[in-house]
Amino acid sequence: MNSRNDITPQRNDVTPVPASTSLSARKGTRRRGVVAFFGALAVVGFAAAMVAPTGVALAQQPEDETPESVYSAALTETQNLTVTVEGAAITPVERGTFSVYVKPKPKPKPKPVQASTESSDQSAPSGPLFYTGGGAPAEWMAAAGIAESDWGYVDYIVSRESGWNPNATNASSGACGLVQALPCSKVPGNGYDPVDNLRWATGYATGRYGSWAGAHAFWTNNHWW
């Protein structure tokens, strides 16, 4: 058997390191690590110092200014009114005055009154213009003084001239009354009065045709007298 010294391998290629050199290398490595740590710490602190204001600025947003509106301005300018319980004299608010003009209604214009267009020949010198009394043809002939023997002639002529209407008037010629006297002003008194009209007719018949019988004969032949 071999002894222990014979089985232990021996390395001749390993160079031994001096103890002093290994120790100094460890110290240098440790020193560089510390420097690197503090350098990294300084870089982080510098970066934090640069980013911190920006972060604060981002975190604290500035308050938006509320734009002034017409309502807010009115609230600002509104006068506060203080009401006391008693014994206080409150000055009334002065208000502006105004006046209202009301246009008056125009006054209606008076309508012009048309003048009467009746001919002056139709009016009698005196008495009413139209006859308003009563009576009958026989009464009127008797009052006019006509003989009863002539009443038939008179009735024939008057019935065709006026229909025994005392107020009959010819619109074109102006003849009036029972016998249509033309012009009406020839009749003494009132041409629309039946008695006055017949009295005048008696004088006209006797003066122009000799009698009421002659006037009747002329009328039947000519349809006028």
Side-chain angles (χ1 to χ4, degrees):
M1 293 182 62
N2 294 331
S3 63
R4 184 176 183 181
N5 293 333
D6 293 338
I7 66 176
T8 301
Q10 293 181 1
R11 298 185 61 181
N12 296 328
D13 56 346
V14 178
T15 304
V17 181
S20 61
T21 303
S22 178
L23 181 60
S24 61
R26 295 177 184 173
K27 292 181 178 180
T29 301
R30 187 180 300 168
R31 188 179 295 112
R32 285 194 298 270
V34 172
V35 172
F37 172 76
F38 282 104
L41 184 61
V43 172
V44 173
F46 180 75
M50 293 296 292
V51 176
T54 306
V56 174
L58 293 176
Q60 298 179 355
Q61 295 292 335
E63 296 181 359
D64 296 337
E65 295 182 0
T66 303
E68 184 177 4
S69 61
V70 178
Y71 178 73
S72 61
L75 288 177
T76 304
E77 296 179 359
T78 302
Q79 181 181 1
N80 294 328
L81 299 178
T82 302
V83 180
T84 58
V85 177
E86 59 181 356
I90 300 176
T91 304
V93 180
E94 295 183 0
R95 302 183 183 274
T97 58
F98 63 93
S99 58
V100 178
Y101 174 75
V102 179
K103 186 178 180 180
K105 293 183 179 179
K107 295 181 179 180
K109 295 182 180 179
K111 295 182 179 180
V113 180
Q114 296 181 355
S116 176
T117 57
E118 295 180 358
S119 174
S120 60
D121 294 340
Q122 299 177 2
S123 60
S126 61
L129 182 61
F130 292 105
Y131 180 72
T132 57
E139 296 175 353
W140 296 337
M141 288 186 289
I146 301 175
E148 189 173 349
S149 58
D150 293 333
W151 285 6
Y153 304 126
V154 176
D155 179 66
Y156 182 90
I157 295 175
V158 172
S159 295
R160 287 157 179 78
E161 289 290 339
S162 63
W164 286 100
N165 179 12
N167 296 321
T169 304
N170 190 302
S172 59
S173 65
C176 71
L178 294 179
V179 298
Q180 292 292 284
L182 182 66
C184 191
S185 57
K186 282 184 177 181
V187 179
N190 184 1
Y192 292 99
D193 186 279
V195 177
D196 292 344
N197 194 279
L198 289 174
R199 188 179 290 121
W200 173 85
T202 299
Y204 175 78
T206 56
R208 185 179 179 102
Y209 304 106
S211 64
W212 274 107
H216 170 264
F218 185 88
W219 207 106
T220 56
N221 293 328
N222 300 282
H223 303 288
W224 62 276
W225 73 313

